Amino acid sequence: MRLEDLGWDASFSSAFEPFERAGLRPGRISRTDRRSFRVLTGQDELHAEVSGKLRYHTPEWPVTGDWVVLRGDSPVIDTVLPRKTELSRKTAGEQTGKQVLAANVDVLFLVTGLDRDFNPRRIERWLLLAGECGAQPVIVLNKADLHPDPDWAAGEVRQLAPAVPVTVVSALAEQGAAELIRHVRHGETAALVGSSGVGKSTIVNWLLERDAQLTQEVRKDDGRGRHTTTSRELIPMPGGWLLMDTPGLRELQLWAGEDSLDQTFEDVANFAAMCRFRDCRHEGEPGCAVTEAVSGGDLDEARLGSYRKLQRELAYLARRQDEWAAAEEKRRWKRIHKAMRQGGKRL
Ligand code: GDP
Ligand code: ZN
């Protein structure tokens, strides 16, 4: 396995340059356990400790998914290379204010269940979290077997953020895996987040089982077991991507303690529905019911503020998604041209 298969890219490589000149080597954290770490180097999976200069639970403290610089034979983690993305939890009452849970996640599957807990407003909040993290969001509607019309539900969700991919699966019926995995490219890392009970563990087990079957086929002859993979939190999958599954991510909840999710912006949305113009931005347009509600004291100005923040985030995500789509289209044409040069082989 090469470093590239683990997600190593030009930006990590250039950040690593000075360390390379000093004879050090890079690795990627596959599991953390208080002060001890497991690191994938491409050749091995090593055990490492942190150097004395890293302070416990600061943002520089290594987390699963981090690329780190290793020093010595029984290696010590010297430095954490700058992260591409960072999933963190706001911590109450602490000076630092955030605890980093995972690093360098490229694709974030936002899982919700299509059962009676189905709640598009909650998906908006998960989208916001993906925006803060920097990962590409993919909305996963699980438990399709429990919904009379999953495609209708998917359509509803698409309206929230038209440019974010929505995919429908049933982990229980083992349906939709290929469609799900399609969103992760070679060397990319994907993680699942979502409220408790939506089926994250079931999806992970399902993907791993599928992985085990594929792996058995691939490795029929070399007799190597999969004994180490089960305890990993960062798992190289046979399709060439990495699945991240840490206890912290499974338990990640939306802004616990902040306003309850069930009432998320429904108040603002109800007023907005009464604005004269359908595309009202509530910034002083005539006939704006939202501004009216604020000046009449029926709507808290701070609520309007966070509503706007969400809208901005969703617009930002839509723009990002457009860029991704354009890049994907470019790659697709590159593949097509390459195949044409190779003589019309089927893609
Ligand atoms: P997590 O808390 O997000 O990890 O959720 P779990 O994976 O523990 O799943 C919660 C419950 O939902 C379990 O009882 C699962 O069997 C059930 N579940 C998960 N996926 C599906 C699905 O696709 N269809 C149905 N009907 N149930 C599911
Ligand atoms: Zn308005």
Side-chain angles (χ1 to χ4, degrees), residues 264-313:
T264 308
F265 302 123
E266 233 157 82
D267 46 355
V268 185
N270 286 342
F271 286 115
M274 294 185 284
C275 294
R276 183 183 306 163
F277 300 109
R278 268 195 64 195
D279 59 348
C280 185
R281 300 175 61 144
H282 327 305
E283 285 165 352
E285 291 91 336
C288 174
V290 172
T291 352
E292 227 166 78
V294 170
S295 51
D298 293 323
L299 181 65
D300 189 6
E301 187 147 21
R303 294 277 303 155
L304 181 57
S306 31
Y307 176 78
R308 287 209 167 107
K309 181 165 184 268
L310 177 66
Q311 294 298 316
R312 276 198 302 274
E313 285 289 342

Side-chain angles (χ1 to χ4, degrees), residues 9-248:
D9 67 10
S11 67
F12 293 123
S13 167
S14 85
F16 180 67
E17 242 166 56
F19 301 101
E20 185 166 36
R21 280 198 296 275
L24 307 186
R25 53 194 169 138
R28 193 166 186 203
I29 307 276
S30 62
R31 186 187 172 94
T32 63
D33 187 14
R34 288 163 182 272
R35 286 167 177 276
S36 108
F37 299 83
R38 235 156 340 125
V39 188
L40 297 168
T41 64
Q43 284 100 44
D44 295 307
E45 185 165 23
L46 306 170
H47 221 77
E49 311 269 315
V50 290
S51 80
K53 71 174 185 182
L54 294 179
R55 281 188 306 121
Y56 191 49
H57 263 186
T58 54
E60 308 83 65
W61 188 261
V63 296
T64 301
D66 262 326
W67 280 100
V68 295
V69 177
L70 301 170
R71 184 188 288 280
D73 283 332
S74 63
V76 167
I77 296 170
D78 181 273
T79 307
V80 175
L81 294 178
R83 293 166 180 146
K84 274 200 294 192
T85 68
E86 191 178 86
L87 261 164
S88 56
R89 162 163 64 199
K90 289 175 186 142
T91 51
E94 267 179 49
Q95 279 281 307
T96 52
K98 76 170 177 188
Q99 179 195 358
V100 182
L101 297 170
N104 302 318
V105 171
D106 301 291
V107 176
L108 205 53
F109 289 122
L110 314 178
V111 188
T112 28
L114 281 174
D115 46 12
R116 54 196 167 75
D117 288 335
F118 178 59
N119 179 354
R121 299 270 89 80
R122 190 181 290 146
I123 297 175
E124 289 181 337
R125 305 301 300 265
W126 285 111
L127 280 169
L128 196 57
L129 179 129
E132 284 178 356
C133 156
Q136 177 185 345
V138 174
I139 298 169
V140 179
L141 305 178
N142 185 34
K143 309 195 187 184
D145 55 292
L146 294 181
H147 198 283
D149 192 353
D151 289 336
W152 173 85
E156 289 291 290
V157 171
R158 279 193 188 95
Q159 284 178 11
L160 288 180
V164 177
V166 178
T167 165
V168 176
V169 302
S170 168
L172 210 64
E174 307 197 340
Q175 270 163 11
E179 195 42 38
L180 185 75
I181 292 165
R182 201 172 60 83
H183 298 285
V184 195
R185 282 194 285 271
H186 191 99
E188 283 188 334
T189 300
L192 293 90
V193 294
S195 311
S196 127
V198 295
K200 297 181 297 295
S201 319
T202 314
I203 294 176
V204 165
N205 290 337
W206 168 41
L207 294 177
L208 289 178
E209 238 167 71
R210 214 171 153 269
D211 168 34
Q213 282 161 12
L214 286 174
T215 310
Q216 271 163 19
E217 277 164 33
V218 172
R219 287 199 184 154
K220 215 172 283 169
D221 301 324
D222 78 356
R224 275 194 298 161
R226 293 170 19 81
H227 52 278
T228 51
T229 57
T230 43
S231 58
R232 279 185 192 147
E233 296 175 344
L234 182 69
I235 306 154
M237 304 288 275
W241 59 288
L242 296 108
L243 174 64
M244 187 187 290
D245 181 32
T246 76

